[in-house]
Every structure is written in structure tokens, then in C-alpha cells.
Amino acid sequence: VKFVTVDGFPIVNFETLIDSRRVILCVGSGGVGKTTTAAALGLLAAQRGRRALCLTIDPARRLAQSLGLEEFRADAQQVSAERFRQAGIEAPGSLTVMMLNTKRTFDEIVERYASSPEVRDRIMHNQMYHYVSTALAGTQEYMAMEKLYAVKNDPNFDLIILDTPPTSNALDFLDAPDRLIDALDSSATRWLIRAFESTGRLSFDLLARSAAMALRGVGKFTGTGFLEQVAEFLTELNDLFGGFTQRARQVQSALRAADVAYVLVTSPSPTTIREVLFFSERLTQLGMSSDAFVINRIHHPPPNAPSQQAIRQAVEQSGLALDEDVVTRLQAIMKDEATQAAMDAHHLLVLHEALHLVDPAPLRAMVPAFPYDVHDLESLHDVAKALARVTT
């Protein structure tokens, strides 16, 4: 089997992937355990002596508490060494977590690049800015990429792990820079900027007749005041970044860098398997590679399922007194588990056959369906250990 390589050396497990990359993006549809996988990779990195930063989008509160934190915040929070010791985990590195705050990330960009306090204030007080920075579709995906771009070269961290946004299409964030470029380069946007920037007020006299008529038509429905807000915002924003399109292309280019790895997360469900294979194809089309797959919540058949007689004997030896109905139900549960395991194995054949055709072959980690929720550091450690065991 051929493996993913870096500088000619094979990456045979997640530990070597973690050691060789600067950024890992966890990609997958909602509900497949993406956030938990990102946190487990961060824990595995800390165990290997790396200083890991896990950027998460929509974390469950119990995951924060499992790391000894009350909640995830937009400020960086490092998991304490004492928390690792309490869990019996040796971690010579560190694990820092941070939750993406879309509005705050946008505000930080404005504050950092505004040419003057006056420009900063005009943007932040613009009604259009409040909408774009909080509610516009695609803003969260783009700000996730901006945050990643901002911390990518932070010397305080060896590895950045991004839990990608929970969108209907798990690869929307890859298109976010393109969508932003298309929006800012559109004819309507250029018309508005030209109609506003020379005088600081919206004037259609500088435009071609067709463009002026189009904008006046829009103005009848939205009001000229709204168009002025939009024009002012776009003009200031374009000046803010010295050309927002150039900035967006820098962010987009960072996603294709050689030190970036894509870990695709799925479950044994036929729907999520189809989705993850689609994501893998999209990455290939965009010039990126699917470096690894994580298949979560896999059921394994119970070893040597006992007969009712064997269950009764075990109950008696334990000094317990259970109703006959309980013994029957225990056997039925084990039978259901075996059936679920057989279904998982059947569904995964599609994934394994598809990955067999990929050259070089991506890593695969099979994470079992644990009989408990991942609600503490010890159980997260179990996920990390499962990631360290890969299959081909």
C-alpha cells in the first residue's frame, strides 16, 4: 500500500501526520463527530510534545467541561497541566482551545487594517457592516478562514487544528474567498463604488445610463439611504484591505499550502459516506488532497456472544438475581449489536473500495462506538488512542 508522503517519507499514522504539518482542517457534514475529532487530534499533538491550538466553531458545552473549562471563548484558553495529570495523561506539549466569534474576528480585521480611527469608526457604525459581520450567508465560513490565516504563523503554536463550520455543505468554507471576490468584483458593486467614492455621496451622474437606471430601480425598492450605506461600506472596505480581493486570494492560497492537511470525518451511515466521498472529490478538483479519513462510531460484533444458559450461569456466579426476561433482553441486545456491526461493515465497503483506488492511499482511523459519551478528558483520550491506530 502506498501512503501519503512528505519529503519522500511515508506518513503511516496520525502521529507522523501531526508531526509533519502546520495546519489540519477537519472536514465533514454535521453530526459526525468533527469537533470531537479536532479536540482529540489536539490532545494527541500535546501528547507528542507539540503546542496545539484547536479552533472550534460550535462546540458542545460538555466538550469544554471535559477539558476542565467552563465554556469555550473567543480568547485562547490553555488546558492546564494539572487537568492532564488528573486524567493520567502525559502531555509534554500543550493544548489551547479557542472558539470562533465571527463578529469579533471581523472587528479585529477592521481595527488592524483601518488607515485611521475615523475610517475604522465609519465602517463599524455602518448599518451594512453590522449585517455583513453577523448575518450574511458565508461570513462565518470566510471569517473561519481569516482566523486560521491570522494564527497560522503565530510562533506560540506548532500546530493549528480547525474544526470547520457546520454548514449544509462541509466545503462551503473553501469557496468563501471566491464568493467574496465575486461579490466585490461584481458589476453592481463597481457601479456603487464609482457612484460614491469621488464625492462621498451617491451620485449616478458618473455612471453609464444603463447602470444608473439599474441602480435607481433598486433604490425605489430599498431607498437611496440604504444604497448609500452599501456604497459607503463597500468603498471603505475596499480601501481597508488595499484591495479586498487580494486579501481573499491570500487566504485562499493558504488553504492549498503544502503544510496543510485535510482530515475528512464521517460515520458508517450510507448518507455520510456518500457525502465524504463527494467532499474528497471536490478537494481533488480544487487541487487539494484528502490526507486522512476518520470513521466515527463504528460498531464491532460482540466476541463469542453467549447463550442464555451461559448468561444465567454468569449471573448466578456473580450472586445476582435477575428475571428471566432480563436474560432474554441481554441476549437480544448482543444480537442487535452484531447486526449493527454487520451493517456498518457492509456500508464501509463502499468507502474502502473508493479509497483503494486513490494513489497515494489516505490514512484511515476507525473510531469505535463507545458505550459512553465523550464528556471528560479520559474518554477524549480514548478517541485519541483510536486515531493513533490506523488501517489501510
Side-chain angles (χ1 to χ4, degrees):
V1 177
K2 295 180 180 179
F3 294 96
V4 178
T5 62
V6 170
D7 296 330
F9 294 96
I11 296 179
V12 297
N13 56 36
F14 274 92
E15 293 171 328
T16 47
L17 183 69
I18 284 170
D19 291 345
S20 63
R21 299 301 173 92
R22 173 66 177 166
V23 176
I24 294 178
L25 292 95
C26 292
V27 178
S29 54
V32 295
K34 213 171 23 179
T35 302
T36 300
T37 298
L41 286 171
L43 174 56
L44 191 58
Q47 289 181 270
R48 295 190 59 76
R50 305 207 81 194
R51 298 169 301 166
L53 170 64
C54 183
L55 282 171
T56 186
I57 307 298
D58 188 24
R61 185 181 181 86
R62 68 179 184 275
L63 180 59
Q65 293 173 339
S66 75
L67 299 174
L69 308 172
E70 181 63 27
E71 62 182 2
F72 284 116
R73 300 197 304 262
D75 298 316
Q77 300 178 86
Q78 184 172 320
V79 180
S80 69
E82 177 60 27
R83 184 69 187 89
F84 285 126
R85 283 194 292 270
Q86 291 174 355
I89 299 172
E90 184 178 348
S94 63
L95 174 58
T96 301
V97 295
M98 184 186 301
M99 186 179 73
L100 176 71
N101 182 312
T102 302
K103 177 66 163 59
R104 178 168 171 176
T105 301
F106 216 141
D107 288 349
E108 289 172 352
I109 294 171
V110 172
E111 290 172 357
R112 186 181 308 123
Y113 294 105
S115 57
S116 68
E118 291 75 21
V119 171
R120 177 200 63 201
D121 292 343
R122 281 200 301 269
I123 292 175
M124 288 192 169
H125 293 140
N126 187 291
Q127 293 179 6
M128 188 65 184
Y129 174 73
H130 287 286
Y131 169 71
V132 168
S133 61
T134 57
L136 182 66
T139 299
Q140 185 184 53
E141 291 88 341
Y142 184 76
M143 287 302 111
M145 295 303 98
E146 274 284 354
K147 192 66 176 181
L148 176 63
Y149 188 77
V151 301
K152 186 175 184 288
N153 297 318
D154 190 329
N156 293 310
F157 305 109
D158 304 313
L159 177 67
I160 315 295
I161 302 168
L162 176 66
D163 166 31
T164 52
T167 58
S168 57
N169 184 338
L171 293 183
D172 277 351
F173 72 92
L174 293 175
D175 296 327
D178 273 337
R179 290 201 302 272
L180 183 62
I181 291 169
D182 290 343
L184 292 177
D185 275 349
S186 69
S187 298
T189 298
R190 290 195 296 271
W191 292 341
L192 280 171
I193 292 175
R194 285 176 53 198
F196 182 86
E197 62 184 355
S198 61
T199 63
R201 295 187 59 82
L202 198 62
S203 172
F204 298 146
D205 296 338
L206 301 176
L207 302 180
R209 180 178 300 176
S210 59
M213 289 179 62
L215 290 178
R216 286 193 179 98
V218 173
K220 289 180 180 179
F221 292 99
T222 63
T224 306
F226 173 78
L227 284 182
E228 283 199 354
Q229 288 278 334
V230 174
E232 180 184 15
F233 170 70
L234 292 173
T235 302
E236 298 285 8
L237 196 65
N238 191 59
D239 175 69
L240 174 71
F241 290 103
F244 206 107
T245 56
Q246 181 181 358
R247 172 75 177 186
R249 293 198 188 282
Q250 290 173 344
V251 173
Q252 189 179 55
S253 177
L255 300 177
R256 291 172 167 79
D259 59 355
V260 175
Y262 288 86
V263 173
L264 280 70
V265 185
T266 186
S267 72
S269 160
T271 300
T272 58
I273 288 174
R274 285 195 298 268
E275 288 177 345
V276 83
L277 289 175
F278 169 74
F279 300 155
S280 181
E281 292 174 3
R282 279 285 315 280
L283 285 173
T284 300
Q285 293 168 1
L286 293 169
M288 305 174 220
S289 62
S290 305
D291 298 277
F293 285 75
V294 173
I295 304 98
N296 280 322
R297 306 180 191 129
I298 298 175
H299 293 82
H300 295 290
N304 303 319
S307 64
Q308 287 193 14
Q309 181 61 32
I311 294 175
R312 290 192 194 95
Q313 291 176 355
V315 168
E316 292 172 0
Q317 291 173 2
S318 301
L320 300 174
L322 299 179
D323 295 336
E324 181 67 24
D325 180 60
V326 174
V327 175
T328 303
R329 286 188 319 210
L330 284 173
Q331 192 174 44
I333 289 171
M334 299 188 76
K335 183 179 179 181
D336 289 345
E337 188 70 13
T339 301
Q340 183 64 60
M343 291 177 61
D344 286 356
H346 175 72
H347 296 151
L348 286 173
L349 281 176
V350 176
L351 179 63
H352 293 319
E353 289 174 358
L355 298 186
H356 182 71
L357 302 176
V358 178
D359 186 14
L363 304 176
R364 270 164 279 170
M366 319 291 277
V367 180
F370 295 109
Y372 46 79
D373 289 334
V374 180
H375 65 278
D376 55 26
L377 198 54
E378 290 82 358
S379 54
L380 187 65
H381 188 213
D382 289 337
V383 178
K385 287 187 289 187
L387 292 176
R389 298 187 297 270
V390 301
T391 93
T392 59

